[in-house]
Amino acid sequence: MTRFEILVSANDENSLDDEVSLLLEDSTNAGSFGEETHVSIDIPQNQDLTDESHSSIEIEDEPIEIHDDNIVQESHEAKEDEEAKHAREERKQAQLKLMEQESQSYHEELQLQPLMNNHIRAGFVFQMTSNEFNFNDKSEFEYIHHGSIFPKSMRHILQETKSHALHLRFQRGKWDAEKWGALPDNGYYIGGSGAELWSSVEASDKNSAYGQWKILANSLSGMFCASLDALDSTHTIFPKYSFIENDFANNNFRSPVFNEQHDLFLLHGSLPNEPVCTENLTPLLKLLPTRGKVGLSSILDGHRVFDNPWHNLALDLNTICDDITKKCKYTLDIHLDMVFHIPTVQARNDRPIPKPLTGENLRCDYSKPYDAFQCFPLPDENSITYVLSDVFGKKINGSPLISSIPSKICLKAPKETWNFFIVVNDSVYGTDSNCFDLSDDNADKDQDFYIQSDNTDLIATEKSPISITRSLSDDNNVRTVFKNTNDYPLEILHLESVPWFMKLYLSTLTIQISNSSPKSLRNEDSLERTVNFTSIYYSPAIDRKTSNHLEYKLTIPQMSTVIISYSFDKSLLQFAEYPPDANHGFEIDSSIVTILSPMNYYVRSNTLLLLLSTPDFSMPYNVIILTSTVMCLIFGTLYNFLVKRMVPLKYADIYNKRDSPIAKLKTCMRKFI
Amino acid sequence: MALLATIHRRVIDMGLVPKIMKRLPLVSIFLAAIGIVLFLMLPMDGQYRHTYISENALMPSQAYSYFRESEWNILRGYRTEIDIFPSMPSRDRNLVMTQWLEEFGTKTSVYHNDEYGDTLYGIFNAPRGDGTEAIVLAIPWYNADGEFNTGGAALGIALSRFFSRWPIWSKNIIVVFSENPDGALRSWVDAYHHSLDLTGGSIEAAIVMDYPSSSDFFDYVEIYYHGINGELPNLDLLNIAIQITEHEGMQVSLHGLPKESLHQNNYFSRLRTLLLGTKDALLSGIKPRHGNEAFSGFRIQAITLKAKFTPDNNDHDITSFGRIAEASFRSVNNLLEKFHQSFFFYLILAPKYFVSISSYLPSAVTFSVAFAISSLSSYINNSYSTLPIFSEYNLLAGLLFTISITFSFFVARLSLLFTEPRLLVLGSVFLSVLPHLLGNRFTIPEPLSYRLKSIAFLYISLVLTSLLVLNFSLAFGIGILGFAMTAVKTITIHSSMRVRVRNTMHLLLSNPFTSVLLFTYIFDKDIYGIKIFYEFIHSWNTLNCWTWFIICVGWLPPWILVSISSIQTNTVMQSPDYGKKQL
């Protein structure tokens, strides 16, 4: 066990000016789109900036309009086959012509990947690219507003908030890395439990960047029916290392486009308690040019997308610019990933309520004692047969005419044990690559996909490179366990955002290492060198303003487990800061692990639940009422006791005589005389 | 104020204050009697209340329970396999169970503990919800009586399998197979909150299942709910368990009441349940532990369900026992908040009757007031009441008090290392008889005797006051058992032999060790005799049960002081200054 000295960076740059943040919060609350509001935010300390530097942000409200120009709706009314085909062909030609002119594109793809224990991952990818345009040329800039497949609302948000990129994630459920292997696409599109948003924003300083971020969050909150408006300064951090290389370097776009003097700021926030449901899916589908009516998106149904052990919705919006031509374009990627357990899905189709099976349907192990009364259950079958519409409850409706590349469906599984066929009007076709292009010709036909395997345990999944578990222990400790089961070390970046009501004691940070193979570690002294705990960035929380932000690089040696733990204290919240009703605890954001080498991989830890001492809110009133009553009683009595003397009646005369003024006078006189 | 003033005037007129002052010992006994009467009044009609489900979200038994029909076949299938488990080493048992659990997607892990053996646990992640909360189904392989929990283990695996098919869970489900419901389960709960890598979030509720038989049928259900250190599960959890059990048609027995008395509902049946409940709470963690005690102290609401068999009348099948757990899990699963609505402090009179803290607390309060008054009495009701506060006797009494507390603390601590209960009891008896034996060979100043008693009673009164909300039963128990202390008289050279013998008797009766021994000998056949002291130490070591320390540090020091005070005294001549009445 080794203790590390940690340099705590000055927090001043991170802190937000009171006045400004207040102003921002007040005004940005009204800044959601779709209302007739005109909001201007004045940031007082930037008086010297030029007009162009946007010291005041103006939101002129434009209600979001969704263009209907490009909707390709397949009508299933009875029409002459030929006529319909002809008309469609014509439409498609027109669309493609338009697309070619405008260099915009739309592509969709579905990747099916069987996982262990009869699970299957369905990964939908929808990619849209806007026309190229020049930021400096206003007319060209306006050009992409019209007749584009790129959703206008997205472009609007980017421009209003001067953001270059935004990434939105909704995730629920637990990815079973042990069984299902690595996350799809290196985990880049997979968020932490709840909702997560990060964005690079162009602004003159941190405060105005935060202002724009608030507007962004509020707009997205309205658009996606999520509580993203709750991403206030206590939920927002400016990542120091994480996400940087993806949002800055990979986009080959570092320089500001809206204003030359501005900088780019990366902001990140997450809401671990956000439930993900149909109302988050519908707005995503509405962004597609097909509106979820045609093509792959037509099988997405909220009942199925969210009725599974794990699902993730991701939206990535990027600005890509060419340094030479100075032309830019927007890209919008929507990734929907979900994991189904096929036997459960099939059982749900047969019997919506998982009632006990009838005796004859029980699958019993006949090698064990078996009769009419007892049955030792068999595990799930190893061979499986189903069609895609069993899983999604719907069939794919045609193919989007708008796209120049046909929609694609692939099964990522070994060809030897998995069969993947397209079924069109009872005819079955297969391909070598296990990939199918959705053809327009089949649009009116009954098409489905047939998946069959006799050995479902033979699958093509990569091993998850790292496993991370985070837990809160009873004695106020945050414990993070990184497990590397590879035979090579992993260099990782760990980002933790911990709310202000957890007061961290970084002095208590300890790193423990235990390894399964004795070779990887020579002796205890080399721990510091092995773990290579570097690039530590820590910005402590300011009560009610910012959260604790901790980032560090770490090397997890091969075949070993590194445990990082530190203690914290719970703060007492103010009366009004508790949620309005008795709650189940406070959710702590999942931490973000980025593997830097030897590969790029992203993974989030689980979220945590912190229990703060929650008062019984009716108690203070009871106490106040009771104590006030008691105090009144005591005061009255006490006052009486102090100023009155109670004596029995028979002595009263004696006392009266003794204490009367005349008697006192007599005593006085007697002293003198 | 007028009323108070009038009363005040009347009191003065009648000269009540000096009269009462003279009879303070009587007042003290009177208060103690009131305390007992108040307690005995609780089971009377109108004093108790019907239980009710306070948190509306729980909705017990509102959804139809499906753990029946062919699930019984599966349960029997598992049970036939489990029947051979008792002859297997625990490692192999856990291996087989791990394999079964993983077949339907449960994440499993084994917690190794050198002292208590391996504990297998599996987590089924919630398909709904964010997975930060969990409900525990705990199945000890061997129950509190050392019987193999065949039915419980079969229910555990069959229920886990059944649960895994339902998409409704918003909380993770953790199934735990520990070696016993005592130290093994407790060490797992401890490890879960400190060092385990596979965790399923904070545990909201736990149900321990005990079905120690291979039989398909049982008669009625016993529910155990007392946590340690006076902790109780939220009344809502107990209520839903009782309501569900009765909904499924089974009878509920609390505190081990026999079958014959379950249908009774009269004053004496309620009183019996009340007294048994108080005794069980007092000895919770010390009596045989059923499993729910293991979860105490982590804000987990836990109960134990135990199936009871009778020779001829077993007409409920094992799946209905499973349905209690199923329906309770579904109820807890409905919770969006923590358990907070209902009572955390209550006494149960019958499965559907309870008294809340406001009704039963006064009976313990009167005891602590009675001790305070005894303390006052021994301070003022003698000719030494006018001694200054810093008189040598006061200081000496204070010193003796400090010594006795330190001594008691060492007794408590040392007992953990070398448990010698016989020595403790013998020592107590010796100390009780010693003042009598000493006779006039060794005397103490008379004022010291009064001061010692005064300090002793004040201290025990404070202890009881601070204890009475947290652990009512313990406070009430100490109050009753230790009350004989207040009757110990200061012995002067003129005191008769009868007074001296009576003093010794009172000391013996009120000694923490002898009276606990006597109490359990009369009232609890499970743990009477010297064994109880080992159980005290065991419960401190495994469960962190404070009872031993409270007895040693809260009860023993005042008893020692009282014991010293009963040594024969020599009258102290007061200097004229002391006796001077100041007008």
Side-chain angles (χ1 to χ4, degrees):
Chain A
M1 213 177 276
T2 319
R3 268 162 206 277
F4 286 89
E5 291 279 321
I6 286 163
L7 289 171
V8 177
S9 82
N11 201 65
D12 50 357
E13 55 168 3
N14 212 15
S15 69
L16 295 164
D17 186 285
D18 267 10
E19 208 184 344
V20 176
S21 59
L22 267 180
L23 250 176
L24 285 172
E25 265 180 46
D26 286 346
S27 47
T28 48
N29 282 340
S32 61
F33 295 92
E35 296 160 9
E36 289 289 319
T37 44
H38 182 96
V39 184
S40 75
I41 301 161
D42 289 310
I43 296 168
Q45 80 271 46
N46 293 325
Q47 306 282 340
D48 53 337
L49 291 170
T50 55
D51 201 31
E52 281 173 352
S53 70
H54 300 90
S55 60
S56 81
I57 305 159
E58 298 208 345
I59 305 171
E60 279 185 43
D61 223 84
E62 252 174 274
I64 295 166
E65 281 174 27
I66 292 163
H67 287 251
D68 288 331
D69 313 13
N70 301 316
I71 289 192
V72 183
Q73 275 192 341
E74 288 297 295
S75 76
H76 286 283
E77 290 161 21
K79 275 184 188 177
E80 285 296 316
D81 232 27
E82 280 299 305
E83 211 175 290
K85 212 172 207 175
H86 187 69
R88 204 166 45 234
E89 199 61 36
E90 242 172 40
R91 252 186 302 160
K92 178 163 186 176
Q93 288 308 321
Q95 294 285 2
L96 288 179
K97 213 171 158 192
L98 192 76
M99 305 258 289
E100 272 163 29
Q101 281 173 4
E102 297 180 344
S103 78
Q104 56 183 356
S105 72
Y106 172 72
H107 177 57
E108 57 180 27
E109 198 180 322
L110 167 61
Q111 195 186 52
L112 299 164
Q113 184 188 15
L115 304 171
M116 276 295 269
N117 288 2
N118 288 330
H119 286 80
I120 189 163
R121 181 183 68 85
F124 291 83
V125 184
F126 304 97
Q127 290 172 321
M128 279 162 269
T129 318
S130 77
N131 292 320
E132 283 195 339
F133 61 92
N134 197 332
F135 262 101
N136 302 326
D137 187 346
K138 274 282 177 209
S139 63
E140 206 173 323
F141 194 48
E142 291 299 315
Y143 168 63
I144 62 152
H145 289 199
H146 306 291
S148 162
I149 58 165
F150 193 83
K152 187 185 172 189
S153 50
M154 283 288 124
R155 177 201 61 79
H156 185 95
I157 287 179
L158 284 190
Q159 280 178 16
E160 286 307 329
T161 58
K162 313 242 174 319
S163 11
H164 288 205
L166 78 86
H167 308 270
L168 185 60
R169 304 279 183 267
F170 294 104
Q171 194 261 316
R172 214 76 209 257
K174 186 161 166 90
W175 178 267
D176 186 351
E178 203 182 309
K179 290 265 163 65
W180 304 344
L183 289 165
D185 303 311
N186 284 340
Y188 181 71
Y189 299 102
I190 312 302
S193 181
E196 199 177 325
L197 172 70
W198 71 96
S199 165
S200 44
V201 172
E202 192 180 313
S204 55
D205 57 16
K206 268 195 171 176
N207 286 333
S208 49
Y210 173 71
Q212 281 154 232
W213 158 263
K214 269 309 284 184
I215 298 170
L216 179 75
N218 283 344
S219 322
L220 291 173
S221 164
M223 279 184 73
F224 292 104
C225 302
S227 3
L228 293 168
D229 55 332
L231 286 176
D232 52 10
S233 64
T234 58
H235 287 92
T236 305
I237 52 168
F238 292 81
K240 183 88 177 161
Y241 308 110
S242 302
F243 302 112
I244 300 286
E245 81 278 20
N246 264 292
D247 285 329
F248 288 82
N250 287 4
N251 287 356
N252 66 46
F253 183 67
R254 287 161 174 280
S255 51
V257 285
F258 295 96
N259 187 320
E260 289 296 319
Q261 279 137 17
H262 282 182
D263 284 329
L264 273 177
F265 292 91
L266 180 69
L267 293 99
H268 178 273
S270 57
L271 297 168
N273 198 16
E274 182 73 9
V276 185
C277 64
T278 324
E279 56 208 42
N280 306 120
L281 176 70
T282 319
L284 271 178
L285 294 183
K286 283 273 185 286
L287 294 176
L288 304 177
T290 60
R291 301 288 188 278
K293 301 272 200 273
V294 193
L296 293 179
S297 56
S298 63
I299 56 168
L300 287 168
D301 174 16
H303 292 102
R304 301 298 180 121
V305 171
F306 299 106
D307 184 18
N308 54 36
W310 180 86
H311 43 261
N312 182 72
L313 319 181
L315 177 140
D316 292 86
L317 195 53
N318 279 306
T319 317
I320 312 259
C321 286
D322 193 322
D323 282 342
I324 303 152
T325 58
K326 297 284 175 212
K327 289 258 185 184
C328 296
K329 62 180 177 184
Y330 291 132
T331 61
L332 174 64
D333 292 4
I334 293 175
H335 284 75
L336 304 177
D337 285 281
M338 59 217 79
V339 170
F340 295 98
H341 183 231
I342 298 300
T344 308
V345 169
Q346 286 174 330
R348 287 269 271 168
N349 289 341
D350 295 344
R351 301 167 297 129
I353 299 172
K355 289 177 189 172
L357 290 163
T358 50
E360 59 269 24
N361 287 334
L362 281 178
R363 296 179 58 250
C364 303
D365 188 342
Y366 298 117
S367 66
K368 298 217 160 84
Y370 163 78
D371 56 32
F373 300 103
Q374 63 174 319
C375 164
F376 188 87
L378 278 177
D380 285 344
E381 268 181 287
N382 235 0
S383 68
I384 205 162
T385 309
Y386 57 100
V387 284
L388 199 59
S389 59
D390 284 348
V391 180
F392 288 96
K394 278 194 206 173
K395 286 179 179 170
I396 294 173
N397 181 18
S399 151
L401 299 174
I402 201 158
S403 156
S404 51
I405 318 158
S407 309
K408 216 174 176 187
I409 300 188
C410 290
L411 184 82
K412 192 183 165 191
K415 193 78 178 139
E416 308 85 68
T417 47
W418 289 86
N419 291 316
F420 186 49
F421 301 124
I422 187 167
V423 187
V424 183
N425 286 355
D426 299 329
S427 325
V428 178
Y429 307 95
T431 58
D432 286 342
S433 58
N434 264 353
C435 279
F436 293 97
D437 288 346
L438 280 189
S439 157
D440 295 335
D441 304 335
N442 298 333
D444 292 337
K445 293 177 193 152
D446 184 35
Q447 61 177 354
D448 210 336
F449 293 87
Y450 173 90
I451 302 162
Q452 191 272 329
S453 170
D454 290 329
N455 187 0
T456 52
D457 285 343
L458 264 180
I459 43 171
T461 45
E462 288 163 42
K463 197 175 115 189
S464 175
I466 191 168
S467 107
I468 164 171
T469 44
R470 201 154 163 249
S471 56
L472 280 181
S473 70
D474 197 49
D475 45 2
N476 291 351
N477 241 301
V478 180
R479 191 166 176 275
T480 318
V481 182
F482 305 91
K483 203 176 271 173
N484 178 6
T485 51
N486 303 305
D487 47 7
Y488 45 83
L490 293 173
E491 195 192 339
I492 65 162
L493 187 60
H494 194 217
L495 166 73
E496 287 181 275
S497 161
V498 179
W500 60 266
F501 42 80
M502 282 167 75
K503 300 213 173 305
L504 301 192
Y505 295 113
L506 272 203
S507 54
T508 61
L509 191 137
T510 53
I511 300 178
Q512 278 168 280
I513 184 161
S514 64
N515 51 312
S516 37
S517 80
K519 270 188 284 179
S520 58
L521 260 187
R522 276 180 296 275
N523 52 34
E524 276 295 307
D525 304 328
S526 65
L527 172 71
E528 210 159 332
R529 239 180 316 122
T530 330
V531 172
N532 195 16
F533 192 66
T534 51
S535 306
I536 306 148
Y537 174 78
Y538 176 54
S539 131
I542 302 172
D543 277 4
R544 301 178 176 81
K545 277 187 190 156
T546 60
S547 55
N548 295 289
H549 171 194
L550 178 61
E551 268 181 87
Y552 46 81
K553 277 186 187 153
L554 196 66
T555 305
I556 317 287
Q558 57 270 38
M559 306 300 282
S560 54
T561 304
V562 172
I563 302 168
I564 296 196
S565 66
Y566 51 80
S567 12
F568 64 92
D569 256 353
K570 295 175 187 175
S571 305
L572 281 177
L573 294 191
Q574 282 174 1
F575 186 64
E577 282 165 351
Y578 286 97
D581 206 346
N583 53 329
H584 73 155
F586 291 81
E587 314 259 348
I588 311 299
D589 293 359
S590 46
S591 68
I592 300 165
V593 175
T594 315
I595 301 183
L596 302 171
S597 81
M599 80 285 258
N600 256 339
Y601 188 78
Y602 304 84
V603 62
R604 310 286 198 273
S605 76
N606 50 322
T607 54
L608 303 171
L609 196 65
L610 177 75
L611 298 175
L612 291 183
S613 45
T614 313
D616 173 5
F617 286 109
S618 65
M619 190 74 108
Y621 301 109
N622 298 342
V623 170
I624 291 168
I625 291 165
L626 268 173
T627 39
S628 309
T629 315
V630 170
M631 272 168 63
C632 286
L633 284 170
I634 289 177
F635 175 76
T637 324
L638 203 68
Y639 182 73
N640 260 338
F641 287 158
L642 286 176
V643 298
K644 281 186 190 169
R645 193 201 297 176
M646 290 286 197
V647 288
L649 208 55
K650 53 183 175 181
Y651 302 120
D653 284 347
I654 304 167
Y655 280 107
N656 258 344
K657 246 181 217 168
R658 205 181 70 183
D659 293 346
S660 67
I662 298 168
K664 279 182 181 165
L665 202 67
K666 276 183 181 168
T667 359
C668 268
M669 282 170 64
R670 218 172 276 151
K671 277 184 185 167
F672 287 109
I673 299 168
Chain B
M1 289 310 102
L3 179 68
L4 274 183
T6 316
I7 294 171
H8 188 206
R9 201 166 292 144
R10 289 302 286 267
V11 167
I12 299 291
D13 278 353
M14 292 164 73
L16 271 184
V17 176
K19 277 183 203 161
I20 292 175
M21 287 299 208
K22 281 222 179 69
R23 289 178 180 75
L24 275 184
L26 261 184
V27 173
S28 167
I29 291 170
F30 181 63
L31 276 172
I34 284 182
I36 292 173
V37 169
L38 280 178
F39 189 74
L40 295 181
M41 271 170 65
L42 291 177
M44 284 163 74
D45 285 324
Q47 301 298 312
Y48 58 87
R49 290 159 73 184
H50 266 273
T51 56
Y52 57 95
I53 307 292
S54 182
E55 169 67 67
N56 289 322
L58 286 168
M59 302 195 289
S61 293
Q62 295 288 299
Y64 190 72
S65 304
Y66 285 103
F67 189 70
R68 54 178 85 223
E69 300 165 18
S70 66
E71 298 295 334
W72 197 356
N73 294 27
I74 293 173
L75 179 85
R76 285 200 192 100
Y78 279 125
R79 198 186 50 210
T80 313
E81 298 296 307
I82 291 170
D83 272 336
I84 55 160
F85 275 16
S87 58
M88 286 160 81
S90 86
R91 229 180 89 83
D92 298 352
R93 224 188 291 147
N94 285 340
L95 272 177
V96 177
M97 197 52 103
T98 305
Q99 195 198 335
W100 292 350
L101 283 170
E102 286 189 343
E103 268 170 16
F104 45 86
T106 314
K107 304 263 100 189
T108 57
S109 174
V110 174
Y111 163 66
H112 301 283
N113 188 302
D114 295 337
E115 196 178 347
Y116 301 109
D118 292 355
T119 300
L120 163 72
Y121 68 104
I123 297 179
F124 171 69
N125 282 303
R128 304 267 188 275
D130 54 2
T132 52
E133 291 168 296
I135 321 175
V136 166
L137 184 67
I139 297 107
W141 285 116
Y142 289 92
N143 74 359
D145 309 321
E147 299 159 304
F148 194 77
N149 195 1
T150 317
L155 275 167
I157 176 79
L159 269 174
S160 313
R161 189 188 144 82
F162 173 78
F163 288 157
S164 73
R165 286 217 316 270
W166 284 81
I168 49 168
W169 304 112
S170 65
K171 294 176 170 56
N172 297 334
I173 290 173
I174 306 180
V175 53
V176 186
F177 293 91
S178 67
E179 214 39 44
N180 59 47
D182 191 4
L185 190 57
R186 178 64 178 201
S187 65
W188 177 82
V189 177
D190 256 334
Y192 184 89
H193 289 92
H194 293 108
S195 58
L196 291 185
D197 289 346
L198 178 70
T199 56
S202 73
I203 301 172
E204 297 297 301
I207 291 181
V208 184
M209 295 191 79
D210 185 0
Y211 192 103
S213 161
S214 300
S215 158
D216 266 329
F217 296 95
F218 69 102
D219 191 5
Y220 64 101
V221 179
E222 261 183 15
I223 297 182
Y224 296 95
Y225 59 96
H226 285 296
I228 44 167
N229 302 333
E231 263 186 45
L232 292 168
N234 192 284
L235 187 53
D236 266 344
L237 181 71
L238 184 62
N239 281 344
I240 60 169
I242 289 171
Q243 190 162 327
I244 290 164
T245 313
E246 294 191 347
H247 180 83
E248 294 287 345
M250 290 158 272
Q251 282 182 304
V252 176
S253 155
L254 299 170
H255 316 300
L257 278 176
K259 165 90 171 164
E260 305 80 69
S261 53
L262 293 187
H263 63 275
Q264 288 173 356
N265 179 20
N266 51 42
Y267 173 78
F268 291 101
S269 77
R270 290 189 295 261
L271 181 66
R272 191 174 171 196
T273 319
L274 175 69
L275 291 174
L276 283 174
T278 316
K279 184 200 74 184
D280 282 354
L282 178 68
L283 296 175
S284 178
I286 295 138
K287 275 175 73 107
R289 294 148 285 265
H290 293 93
N292 54 315
E293 295 91 347
F295 293 91
S296 213
F298 295 94
R299 282 219 251 178
I300 301 171
Q301 320 303 325
I303 52 167
T304 303
L305 304 172
K306 184 178 167 64
K308 292 294 276 187
F309 308 88
T310 43
D312 47 347
N313 206 14
N314 297 323
D315 45 8
H316 298 285
D317 69 77
I318 185 167
T319 56
S320 41
F321 193 68
R323 285 198 292 276
I324 308 174
E326 181 202 346
S328 309
F329 268 46
R330 290 198 69 167
S331 280
V332 176
N333 187 53
N334 287 343
L335 273 185
L336 288 176
E337 309 159 351
K338 295 198 82 66
F339 272 105
H340 72 106
Q341 278 272 1
S342 198
F343 297 90
F344 281 100
F345 300 106
Y346 51 85
L347 292 175
I348 296 287
L349 301 183
K352 298 248 168 182
Y353 300 135
F354 79 106
V355 275
S356 75
I357 185 163
S358 57
S359 313
Y360 67 72
L361 207 54
S363 45
V365 174
T366 49
F367 267 97
S368 90
V369 174
F371 274 107
I373 283 178
S374 292
S375 158
L376 189 68
S377 165
S378 35
Y379 196 90
I380 58 174
N381 272 345
N382 49 60
S383 52
Y384 308 102
S385 62
T386 49
L387 284 174
I389 289 180
F390 291 104
S391 70
E392 52 182 305
Y393 308 111
N394 281 5
L395 294 179
L396 193 60
L399 185 70
L400 281 173
F401 173 63
T402 321
I403 292 172
S404 70
I405 275 206
T406 323
F407 171 73
S408 307
F409 183 76
F410 278 114
V411 168
R413 265 325 220 186
L414 284 174
S415 304
L416 299 186
L417 300 177
F418 328 98
T419 317
E420 277 301 337
R422 283 177 191 84
L423 197 68
L424 285 180
V425 175
L426 280 179
S428 302
V429 173
F430 176 71
L431 273 182
S432 313
V433 187
L434 187 68
H436 188 63
L437 293 180
L438 282 173
N440 52 10
R441 278 184 288 273
F442 178 79
T443 56
I444 54 168
E446 198 179 351
L448 179 66
S449 163
Y450 287 116
R451 291 300 182 271
L452 281 174
K453 278 199 281 186
S454 181
I455 288 182
F457 298 149
L458 188 65
Y459 176 73
I460 199 163
S461 164
L462 283 176
V463 168
L464 294 189
T465 312
S466 42
L467 201 60
L468 56 87
V469 174
L470 292 176
N471 197 345
F472 166 81
S473 306
L474 190 57
F476 192 60
I478 294 181
I480 289 183
L481 294 180
F483 195 71
M485 248 191 262
T486 58
V488 171
K489 298 254 180 338
T490 297
I491 306 289
T492 57
I493 194 140
H494 312 294
S495 298
S496 67
M497 196 54 160
R498 226 177 100 198
V499 174
R500 288 167 198 249
V501 173
R502 212 183 266 167
N503 262 0
T504 312
M505 289 318 293
H506 285 146
L507 278 175
L508 271 176
L509 271 180
S510 62
N511 176 270
F513 306 123
T514 52
S515 66
V516 162
L517 210 57
L518 199 66
F519 174 77
T520 47
Y521 184 74
I522 299 170
F523 294 108
D524 206 309
K525 295 292 174 218
D526 282 343
I527 42 162
Y528 69 88
I530 282 303
K531 193 179 154 196
I532 187 169
F533 293 97
Y534 292 102
E535 291 296 332
F536 273 129
I537 307 299
H538 176 81
S539 73
W540 164 262
N541 282 334
T542 55
L543 300 174
N544 256 347
C545 176
W546 312 328
T547 313
W548 175 246
F549 271 79
I550 286 173
I551 286 177
C552 283
V553 182
W555 189 357
L556 188 60
W559 183 84
I560 294 175
L561 294 189
V562 173
S563 168
I564 299 172
S565 79
S566 66
I567 297 173
Q568 188 177 322
T569 56
N570 49 345
T571 318
V572 172
M573 292 308 288
Q574 297 188 49
S575 71
D577 285 347
Y578 287 164
K580 195 175 183 187
K581 288 248 170 190
Q582 304 197 339
L583 206 93

